[in-house]
PDB file of all heavy atoms in Angstrom:
ATOM      1  N   MET G   1      95.165 101.039 103.285  1.00 70.00           N
ATOM      2  CA  MET G   1      94.714 101.859 102.174  1.00 70.00           C
ATOM      3  C   MET G   1      93.472 101.231 101.554  1.00 70.00           C
ATOM      4  O   MET G   1      92.667 100.670 102.260  1.00 70.00           O
ATOM      5  CB  MET G   1      95.825 102.002 101.140  1.00 70.00           C
ATOM      6  CG  MET G   1      97.003 102.896 101.531  1.00 70.00           C
ATOM      7  SD  MET G   1      96.631 104.625 101.792  1.00 70.00           S
ATOM      8  CE  MET G   1      96.199 105.190 100.198  1.00 70.00           C
ATOM      9  N   PHE G   2      93.386 101.309 100.228  1.00 74.00           N
ATOM     10  CA  PHE G   2      92.159 100.830  99.613  1.00 74.00           C
ATOM     11  C   PHE G   2      92.153  99.307  99.500  1.00 74.00           C
ATOM     12  O   PHE G   2      93.179  98.664  99.494  1.00 74.00           O
ATOM     13  CB  PHE G   2      91.877 101.509  98.268  1.00 74.00           C
ATOM     14  CG  PHE G   2      92.932 101.368  97.213  1.00 74.00           C
ATOM     15  CD1 PHE G   2      92.925 100.296  96.357  1.00 74.00           C
ATOM     16  CD2 PHE G   2      93.899 102.334  97.060  1.00 74.00           C
ATOM     17  CE1 PHE G   2      93.873 100.171  95.370  1.00 74.00           C
ATOM     18  CE2 PHE G   2      94.855 102.231  96.081  1.00 74.00           C
ATOM     19  CZ  PHE G   2      94.847 101.146  95.239  1.00 74.00           C
ATOM     20  N   LYS G   3      90.938  98.766  99.418  1.00 90.00           N
ATOM     21  CA  LYS G   3      90.760  97.322  99.419  1.00 90.00           C
ATOM     22  C   LYS G   3      90.691  96.737  98.022  1.00 90.00           C
ATOM     23  O   LYS G   3      91.149  95.632  97.794  1.00 90.00           O
ATOM     24  CB  LYS G   3      89.502  96.947 100.197  1.00 90.00           C
ATOM     25  CG  LYS G   3      89.610  97.314 101.654  1.00 90.00           C
ATOM     26  CD  LYS G   3      88.439  96.829 102.438  1.00 90.00           C
ATOM     27  CE  LYS G   3      88.651  97.236 103.885  1.00 90.00           C
ATOM     28  NZ  LYS G   3      88.006  96.380 104.807  1.00 90.00           N
ATOM     29  N   LYS G   4      90.082  97.475  97.088  1.00 94.00           N
ATOM     30  CA  LYS G   4      89.929  96.982  95.720  1.00 94.00           C
ATOM     31  C   LYS G   4      90.170  98.103  94.727  1.00 94.00           C
ATOM     32  O   LYS G   4      89.912  99.266  95.017  1.00 94.00           O
ATOM     33  CB  LYS G   4      88.514  96.441  95.492  1.00 94.00           C
ATOM     34  CG  LYS G   4      88.180  95.185  96.223  1.00 94.00           C
ATOM     35  CD  LYS G   4      86.835  94.647  95.776  1.00 94.00           C
ATOM     36  CE  LYS G   4      85.740  95.338  96.541  1.00 94.00           C
ATOM     37  NZ  LYS G   4      84.401  94.805  96.249  1.00 94.00           N
ATOM     38  N   LEU G   5      90.637  97.713  93.562  1.00 93.00           N
ATOM     39  CA  LEU G   5      90.810  98.631  92.448  1.00 93.00           C
ATOM     40  C   LEU G   5      90.044  98.015  91.280  1.00 93.00           C
ATOM     41  O   LEU G   5      90.369  96.916  90.841  1.00 93.00           O
ATOM     42  CB  LEU G   5      92.297  98.773  92.106  1.00 93.00           C
ATOM     43  CG  LEU G   5      92.693  99.811  91.096  1.00 93.00           C
ATOM     44  CD1 LEU G   5      92.358 101.209  91.589  1.00 93.00           C
ATOM     45  CD2 LEU G   5      94.179  99.727  90.810  1.00 93.00           C
ATOM     46  N   ASN G   6      89.003  98.698  90.806  1.00 93.00           N
ATOM     47  CA  ASN G   6      88.143  98.152  89.752  1.00 93.00           C
ATOM     48  C   ASN G   6      88.053  99.102  88.577  1.00 93.00           C
ATOM     49  O   ASN G   6      88.040 100.319  88.753  1.00 93.00           O
ATOM     50  CB  ASN G   6      86.720  97.932  90.290  1.00 93.00           C
ATOM     51  CG  ASN G   6      86.667  96.896  91.377  1.00 93.00           C
ATOM     52  OD1 ASN G   6      87.249  95.838  91.272  1.00 93.00           O
ATOM     53  ND2 ASN G   6      85.954  97.213  92.444  1.00 93.00           N
ATOM     54  N   ASN G   7      87.956  98.526  87.375  1.00 92.00           N
ATOM     55  CA  ASN G   7      87.692  99.323  86.181  1.00 92.00           C
ATOM     56  C   ASN G   7      86.227  99.718  86.176  1.00 92.00           C
ATOM     57  O   ASN G   7      85.366  98.937  86.580  1.00 92.00           O
ATOM     58  CB  ASN G   7      87.970  98.520  84.913  1.00 92.00           C
ATOM     59  CG  ASN G   7      89.425  98.320  84.659  1.00 92.00           C
ATOM     60  OD1 ASN G   7      90.250  99.096  85.098  1.00 92.00           O
ATOM     61  ND2 ASN G   7      89.763  97.266  83.949  1.00 92.00           N
ATOM     62  N   ILE G   8      85.952 100.915  85.694  1.00 91.00           N
ATOM     63  CA  ILE G   8      84.579 101.323  85.409  1.00 91.00           C
ATOM     64  C   ILE G   8      84.561 101.826  83.973  1.00 91.00           C
ATOM     65  O   ILE G   8      84.973 102.927  83.673  1.00 91.00           O
ATOM     66  CB  ILE G   8      84.036 102.382  86.392  1.00 91.00           C
ATOM     67  CG1 ILE G   8      84.958 103.572  86.513  1.00 91.00           C
ATOM     68  CG2 ILE G   8      83.743 101.791  87.734  1.00 91.00           C
ATOM     69  CD1 ILE G   8      84.365 104.743  87.271  1.00 91.00           C
ATOM     70  N   GLY G   9      84.167 100.976  83.091  1.00 87.00           N
ATOM     71  CA  GLY G   9      84.183 101.310  81.674  1.00 87.00           C
ATOM     72  C   GLY G   9      85.606 101.309  81.134  1.00 87.00           C
ATOM     73  O   GLY G   9      86.519 100.743  81.733  1.00 87.00           O
ATOM     74  N   ASP G  10      85.772 101.956  79.987  1.00 87.00           N
ATOM     75  CA  ASP G  10      87.071 101.999  79.333  1.00 87.00           C
ATOM     76  C   ASP G  10      88.015 103.039  79.915  1.00 87.00           C
ATOM     77  O   ASP G  10      89.226 102.902  79.808  1.00 87.00           O
ATOM     78  CB  ASP G  10      86.906 102.315  77.841  1.00 87.00           C
ATOM     79  CG  ASP G  10      86.266 101.190  77.075  1.00 87.00           C
ATOM     80  OD1 ASP G  10      86.249 100.061  77.599  1.00 87.00           O
ATOM     81  OD2 ASP G  10      85.778 101.444  75.959  1.00 87.00           O
ATOM     82  N   CYS G  11      87.455 104.082  80.501  1.00 90.00           N
ATOM     83  CA  CYS G  11      88.313 105.204  80.860  1.00 90.00           C
ATOM     84  C   CYS G  11      88.195 105.610  82.323  1.00 90.00           C
ATOM     85  O   CYS G  11      88.283 106.793  82.651  1.00 90.00           O
ATOM     86  CB  CYS G  11      88.030 106.383  79.956  1.00 90.00           C
ATOM     87  SG  CYS G  11      86.333 106.960  80.035  1.00 90.00           S
ATOM     88  N   GLY G  12      88.040 104.635  83.203  1.00 93.00           N
ATOM     89  CA  GLY G  12      87.970 104.992  84.605  1.00 93.00           C
ATOM     90  C   GLY G  12      88.255 103.822  85.524  1.00 93.00           C
ATOM     91  O   GLY G  12      88.125 102.660  85.137  1.00 93.00           O
ATOM     92  N   ILE G  13      88.664 104.157  86.730  1.00 94.00           N
ATOM     93  CA  ILE G  13      88.875 103.163  87.777  1.00 94.00           C
ATOM     94  C   ILE G  13      88.278 103.680  89.081  1.00 94.00           C
ATOM     95  O   ILE G  13      88.103 104.877  89.262  1.00 94.00           O
ATOM     96  CB  ILE G  13      90.368 102.815  87.983  1.00 94.00           C
ATOM     97  CG1 ILE G  13      91.186 104.065  88.308  1.00 94.00           C
ATOM     98  CG2 ILE G  13      90.942 102.080  86.801  1.00 94.00           C
ATOM     99  CD1 ILE G  13      92.639 103.771  88.672  1.00 94.00           C
ATOM    100  N   VAL G  14      87.962 102.744  89.965  1.00 96.00           N
ATOM    101  CA  VAL G  14      87.461 103.081  91.293  1.00 96.00           C
ATOM    102  C   VAL G  14      88.427 102.518  92.320  1.00 96.00           C
ATOM    103  O   VAL G  14      88.729 101.321  92.309  1.00 96.00           O
ATOM    104  CB  VAL G  14      86.065 102.482  91.548  1.00 96.00           C
ATOM    105  CG1 VAL G  14      85.614 102.747  92.977  1.00 96.00           C
ATOM    106  CG2 VAL G  14      85.058 103.020  90.578  1.00 96.00           C
ATOM    107  N   CYS G  15      88.921 103.366  93.187  1.00 96.00           N
ATOM    108  CA  CYS G  15      89.708 102.938  94.345  1.00 96.00           C
ATOM    109  C   CYS G  15      88.707 102.773  95.475  1.00 96.00           C
ATOM    110  O   CYS G  15      88.151 103.757  95.972  1.00 96.00           O
ATOM    111  CB  CYS G  15      90.748 103.990  94.703  1.00 96.00           C
ATOM    112  SG  CYS G  15      91.892 104.374  93.384  1.00 96.00           S
ATOM    113  N   ASP G  16      88.464 101.544  95.866  1.00 97.00           N
ATOM    114  CA  ASP G  16      87.424 101.221  96.844  1.00 97.00           C
ATOM    115  C   ASP G  16      88.069 100.964  98.199  1.00 97.00           C
ATOM    116  O   ASP G  16      88.899 100.075  98.339  1.00 97.00           O
ATOM    117  CB  ASP G  16      86.660  99.990  96.359  1.00 97.00           C
ATOM    118  CG  ASP G  16      85.437  99.685  97.178  1.00 97.00           C
ATOM    119  OD1 ASP G  16      85.341 100.149  98.327  1.00 97.00           O
ATOM    120  OD2 ASP G  16      84.568  98.960  96.660  1.00 97.00           O
ATOM    121  N   PHE G  17      87.671 101.729  99.182  1.00 96.00           N
ATOM    122  CA  PHE G  17      88.227 101.616 100.525  1.00 96.00           C
ATOM    123  C   PHE G  17      87.352 100.778 101.446  1.00 96.00           C
ATOM    124  O   PHE G  17      87.576 100.732 102.642  1.00 96.00           O
ATOM    125  CB  PHE G  17      88.426 103.012 101.125  1.00 96.00           C
ATOM    126  CG  PHE G  17      89.550 103.782 100.492  1.00 96.00           C
ATOM    127  CD1 PHE G  17      89.387 104.387  99.259  1.00 96.00           C
ATOM    128  CD2 PHE G  17      90.774 103.893 101.123  1.00 96.00           C
ATOM    129  CE1 PHE G  17      90.418 105.101  98.669  1.00 96.00           C
ATOM    130  CE2 PHE G  17      91.818 104.609 100.542  1.00 96.00           C
ATOM    131  CZ  PHE G  17      91.635 105.206  99.313  1.00 96.00           C
ATOM    132  N   GLY G  18      86.342 100.111 100.906  1.00 93.00           N
ATOM    133  CA  GLY G  18      85.475  99.247 101.697  1.00 93.00           C
ATOM    134  C   GLY G  18      84.069  99.799 101.798  1.00 93.00           C
ATOM    135  O   GLY G  18      83.741 100.843 101.241  1.00 93.00           O
ATOM    136  N   ASN G  19      83.220  99.077 102.524  1.00 92.00           N
ATOM    137  CA  ASN G  19      81.807  99.440 102.618  1.00 92.00           C
ATOM    138  C   ASN G  19      81.480 100.369 103.775  1.00 92.00           C
ATOM    139  O   ASN G  19      80.423 100.981 103.790  1.00 92.00           O
ATOM    140  CB  ASN G  19      80.955  98.175 102.744  1.00 92.00           C
ATOM    141  CG  ASN G  19      81.008  97.350 101.478  1.00 92.00           C
ATOM    142  OD1 ASN G  19      81.119  97.887 100.389  1.00 92.00           O
ATOM    143  ND2 ASN G  19      80.956  96.047 101.616  1.00 92.00           N
ATOM    144  N   GLU G  20      82.352 100.457 104.742  1.00 92.00           N
ATOM    145  CA  GLU G  20      82.089 101.319 105.887  1.00 92.00           C
ATOM    146  C   GLU G  20      82.206 102.789 105.507  1.00 92.00           C
ATOM    147  O   GLU G  20      82.976 103.153 104.624  1.00 92.00           O
ATOM    148  CB  GLU G  20      83.080 101.039 107.014  1.00 92.00           C
ATOM    149  CG  GLU G  20      82.782  99.811 107.812  1.00 92.00           C
ATOM    150  CD  GLU G  20      83.688  99.730 109.028  1.00 92.00           C
ATOM    151  OE1 GLU G  20      83.687 100.673 109.840  1.00 92.00           O
ATOM    152  OE2 GLU G  20      84.394  98.722 109.123  1.00 92.00           O
ATOM    153  N   VAL G  21      81.441 103.603 106.198  1.00 93.00           N
ATOM    154  CA  VAL G  21      81.534 105.054 106.043  1.00 93.00           C
ATOM    155  C   VAL G  21      81.875 105.614 107.419  1.00 93.00           C
ATOM    156  O   VAL G  21      81.063 105.576 108.338  1.00 93.00           O
ATOM    157  CB  VAL G  21      80.211 105.653 105.524  1.00 93.00           C
ATOM    158  CG1 VAL G  21      80.292 107.162 105.491  1.00 93.00           C
ATOM    159  CG2 VAL G  21      79.880 105.095 104.156  1.00 93.00           C
ATOM    160  N   ASN G  22      83.117 106.075 107.570  1.00 95.00           N
ATOM    161  CA  ASN G  22      83.531 106.698 108.824  1.00 95.00           C
ATOM    162  C   ASN G  22      84.655 107.689 108.537  1.00 95.00           C
ATOM    163  O   ASN G  22      85.164 107.765 107.415  1.00 95.00           O
ATOM    164  CB  ASN G  22      83.925 105.646 109.875  1.00 95.00           C
ATOM    165  CG  ASN G  22      85.076 104.766 109.437  1.00 95.00           C
ATOM    166  OD1 ASN G  22      86.096 105.259 108.957  1.00 95.00           O
ATOM    167  ND2 ASN G  22      84.927 103.455 109.619  1.00 95.00           N
ATOM    168  N   ARG G  23      85.038 108.444 109.534  1.00 95.00           N
ATOM    169  CA  ARG G  23      86.055 109.491 109.335  1.00 95.00           C
ATOM    170  C   ARG G  23      87.413 108.938 108.952  1.00 95.00           C
ATOM    171  O   ARG G  23      88.129 109.534 108.154  1.00 95.00           O
ATOM    172  CB  ARG G  23      86.188 110.331 110.594  1.00 95.00           C
ATOM    173  CG  ARG G  23      85.042 111.257 110.788  1.00 95.00           C
ATOM    174  CD  ARG G  23      85.268 112.156 111.952  1.00 95.00           C
ATOM    175  NE  ARG G  23      84.128 113.063 112.060  1.00 95.00           N
ATOM    176  CZ  ARG G  23      84.057 114.017 112.930  1.00 95.00           C
ATOM    177  NH1 ARG G  23      85.041 114.212 113.788  1.00 95.00           N
ATOM    178  NH2 ARG G  23      83.005 114.796 112.966  1.00 95.00           N
ATOM    179  N   GLU G  24      87.804 107.814 109.515  1.00 95.00           N
ATOM    180  CA  GLU G  24      89.117 107.240 109.213  1.00 95.00           C
ATOM    181  C   GLU G  24      89.210 106.840 107.745  1.00 95.00           C
ATOM    182  O   GLU G  24      90.178 107.198 107.061  1.00 95.00           O
ATOM    183  CB  GLU G  24      89.377 106.028 110.107  1.00 95.00           C
ATOM    184  CG  GLU G  24      90.740 105.413 109.869  1.00 95.00           C
ATOM    185  CD  GLU G  24      90.995 104.189 110.734  1.00 95.00           C
ATOM    186  OE1 GLU G  24      90.052 103.684 111.379  1.00 95.00           O
ATOM    187  OE2 GLU G  24      92.142 103.745 110.733  1.00 95.00           O
ATOM    188  N   ILE G  25      88.214 106.131 107.247  1.00 95.00           N
ATOM    189  CA  ILE G  25      88.219 105.724 105.838  1.00 95.00           C
ATOM    190  C   ILE G  25      88.147 106.948 104.942  1.00 95.00           C
ATOM    191  O   ILE G  25      88.871 107.054 103.950  1.00 95.00           O
ATOM    192  CB  ILE G  25      87.074 104.736 105.555  1.00 95.00           C
ATOM    193  CG1 ILE G  25      87.398 103.395 106.219  1.00 95.00           C
ATOM    194  CG2 ILE G  25      86.850 104.564 104.063  1.00 95.00           C
ATOM    195  CD1 ILE G  25      86.301 102.362 106.145  1.00 95.00           C
ATOM    196  N   ASN G  26      87.286 107.905 105.295  1.00 96.00           N
ATOM    197  CA  ASN G  26      87.177 109.111 104.488  1.00 96.00           C
ATOM    198  C   ASN G  26      88.491 109.879 104.450  1.00 96.00           C
ATOM    199  O   ASN G  26      88.856 110.451 103.423  1.00 96.00           O
ATOM    200  CB  ASN G  26      86.041 110.006 104.995  1.00 96.00           C
ATOM    201  CG  ASN G  26      85.839 111.198 104.114  1.00 96.00           C
ATOM    202  OD1 ASN G  26      86.133 112.320 104.513  1.00 96.00           O
ATOM    203  ND2 ASN G  26      85.339 110.970 102.915  1.00 96.00           N
ATOM    204  N   SER G  27      89.246 109.868 105.552  1.00 96.00           N
ATOM    205  CA  SER G  27      90.537 110.568 105.555  1.00 96.00           C
ATOM    206  C   SER G  27      91.519 109.910 104.592  1.00 96.00           C
ATOM    207  O   SER G  27      92.309 110.594 103.949  1.00 96.00           O
ATOM    208  CB  SER G  27      91.122 110.646 106.958  1.00 96.00           C
ATOM    209  OG  SER G  27      91.588 109.401 107.399  1.00 96.00           O
ATOM    210  N   TYR G  28      91.463 108.582 104.440  1.00 96.00           N
ATOM    211  CA  TYR G  28      92.310 107.901 103.460  1.00 96.00           C
ATOM    212  C   TYR G  28      91.925 108.305 102.038  1.00 96.00           C
ATOM    213  O   TYR G  28      92.789 108.538 101.193  1.00 96.00           O
ATOM    214  CB  TYR G  28      92.206 106.383 103.593  1.00 96.00           C
ATOM    215  CG  TYR G  28      92.801 105.813 104.849  1.00 96.00           C
ATOM    216  CD1 TYR G  28      92.099 104.888 105.614  1.00 96.00           C
ATOM    217  CD2 TYR G  28      94.073 106.179 105.282  1.00 96.00           C
ATOM    218  CE1 TYR G  28      92.645 104.343 106.767  1.00 96.00           C
ATOM    219  CE2 TYR G  28      94.619 105.647 106.434  1.00 96.00           C
ATOM    220  CZ  TYR G  28      93.901 104.734 107.172  1.00 96.00           C
ATOM    221  OH  TYR G  28      94.442 104.204 108.313  1.00 96.00           O
ATOM    222  N   VAL G  29      90.621 108.382 101.778  1.00 97.00           N
ATOM    223  CA  VAL G  29      90.143 108.795 100.455  1.00 97.00           C
ATOM    224  C   VAL G  29      90.636 110.208 100.148  1.00 97.00           C
ATOM    225  O   VAL G  29      91.173 110.469  99.070  1.00 97.00           O
ATOM    226  CB  VAL G  29      88.595 108.740 100.384  1.00 97.00           C
ATOM    227  CG1 VAL G  29      88.094 109.340  99.074  1.00 97.00           C
ATOM    228  CG2 VAL G  29      88.096 107.315 100.548  1.00 97.00           C
ATOM    229  N   ILE G  30      90.486 111.114 101.104  1.00 97.00           N
ATOM    230  CA  ILE G  30      90.880 112.506 100.893  1.00 97.00           C
ATOM    231  C   ILE G  30      92.392 112.642 100.729  1.00 97.00           C
ATOM    232  O   ILE G  30      92.871 113.429  99.898  1.00 97.00           O
ATOM    233  CB  ILE G  30      90.352 113.395 102.037  1.00 97.00           C
ATOM    234  CG1 ILE G  30      88.820 113.360 102.074  1.00 97.00           C
ATOM    235  CG2 ILE G  30      90.866 114.821 101.921  1.00 97.00           C
ATOM    236  CD1 ILE G  30      88.140 113.763 100.789  1.00 97.00           C
ATOM    237  N   LYS G  31      93.167 111.860 101.471  1.00 97.00           N
ATOM    238  CA  LYS G  31      94.628 111.890 101.315  1.00 97.00           C
ATOM    239  C   LYS G  31      95.034 111.449  99.920  1.00 97.00           C
ATOM    240  O   LYS G  31      95.902 112.067  99.285  1.00 97.00           O
ATOM    241  CB  LYS G  31      95.301 111.006 102.360  1.00 97.00           C
ATOM    242  CG  LYS G  31      95.338 111.606 103.734  1.00 97.00           C
ATOM    243  CD  LYS G  31      95.971 110.650 104.727  1.00 97.00           C
ATOM    244  CE  LYS G  31      95.820 111.171 106.143  1.00 97.00           C
ATOM    245  NZ  LYS G  31      96.344 110.242 107.140  1.00 97.00           N
ATOM    246  N   LEU G  32      94.420 110.363  99.416  1.00 96.00           N
ATOM    247  CA  LEU G  32      94.731 109.905  98.068  1.00 96.00           C
ATOM    248  C   LEU G  32      94.286 110.937  97.037  1.00 96.00           C
ATOM    249  O   LEU G  32      95.007 111.202  96.071  1.00 96.00           O
ATOM    250  CB  LEU G  32      94.078 108.548  97.793  1.00 96.00           C
ATOM    251  CG  LEU G  32      94.359 107.936  96.427  1.00 96.00           C
ATOM    252  CD1 LEU G  32      95.863 107.765  96.177  1.00 96.00           C
ATOM    253  CD2 LEU G  32      93.643 106.603  96.288  1.00 96.00           C
ATOM    254  N   PHE G  33      93.128 111.543  97.251  1.00 97.00           N
ATOM    255  CA  PHE G  33      92.631 112.594  96.366  1.00 97.00           C
ATOM    256  C   PHE G  33      93.639 113.741  96.269  1.00 97.00           C
ATOM    257  O   PHE G  33      94.003 114.180  95.176  1.00 97.00           O
ATOM    258  CB  PHE G  33      91.279 113.107  96.876  1.00 97.00           C
ATOM    259  CG  PHE G  33      90.808 114.352  96.201  1.00 97.00           C
ATOM    260  CD1 PHE G  33      90.232 114.308  94.944  1.00 97.00           C
ATOM    261  CD2 PHE G  33      90.930 115.585  96.826  1.00 97.00           C
ATOM    262  CE1 PHE G  33      89.784 115.461  94.320  1.00 97.00           C
ATOM    263  CE2 PHE G  33      90.488 116.746  96.212  1.00 97.00           C
ATOM    264  CZ  PHE G  33      89.919 116.681  94.953  1.00 97.00           C
ATOM    265  N   HIS G  34      94.128 114.226  97.410  1.00 97.00           N
ATOM    266  CA  HIS G  34      95.077 115.347  97.406  1.00 97.00           C
ATOM    267  C   HIS G  34      96.422 114.945  96.800  1.00 97.00           C
ATOM    268  O   HIS G  34      97.055 115.752  96.105  1.00 97.00           O
ATOM    269  CB  HIS G  34      95.261 115.906  98.815  1.00 97.00           C
ATOM    270  CG  HIS G  34      94.092 116.709  99.278  1.00 97.00           C
ATOM    271  ND1 HIS G  34      93.706 117.892  98.690  1.00 97.00           N
ATOM    272  CD2 HIS G  34      93.202 116.495 100.264  1.00 97.00           C
ATOM    273  CE1 HIS G  34      92.642 118.369  99.287  1.00 97.00           C
ATOM    274  NE2 HIS G  34      92.309 117.529 100.260  1.00 97.00           N
TER     275      HIS G  34
END
């Protein structure tokens, strides 16, 4: 799944799946989104 969870300001977080951009990583992002 994701590699890092970071705060962005007071009211947000970023679920970071790494630096690569490919279909497999994007599918993990989309699954978590849904």
Side-chain angles (χ1 to χ4, degrees):
M1 288 296 293
F2 58 88
K3 296 186 179 207
K4 291 188 276 184
L5 188 63
N6 296 314
N7 287 335
I8 52 170
D10 291 343
C11 60
I13 57 174
V14 175
C15 302
D16 189 340
F17 289 78
N19 293 327
E20 282 189 57
V21 175
N22 60 48
R23 286 186 178 184
E24 182 181 11
I25 289 174
N26 185 250
S27 72
Y28 291 133
V29 173
I30 298 304
K31 284 178 188 177
L32 182 57
F33 169 79
H34 286 295

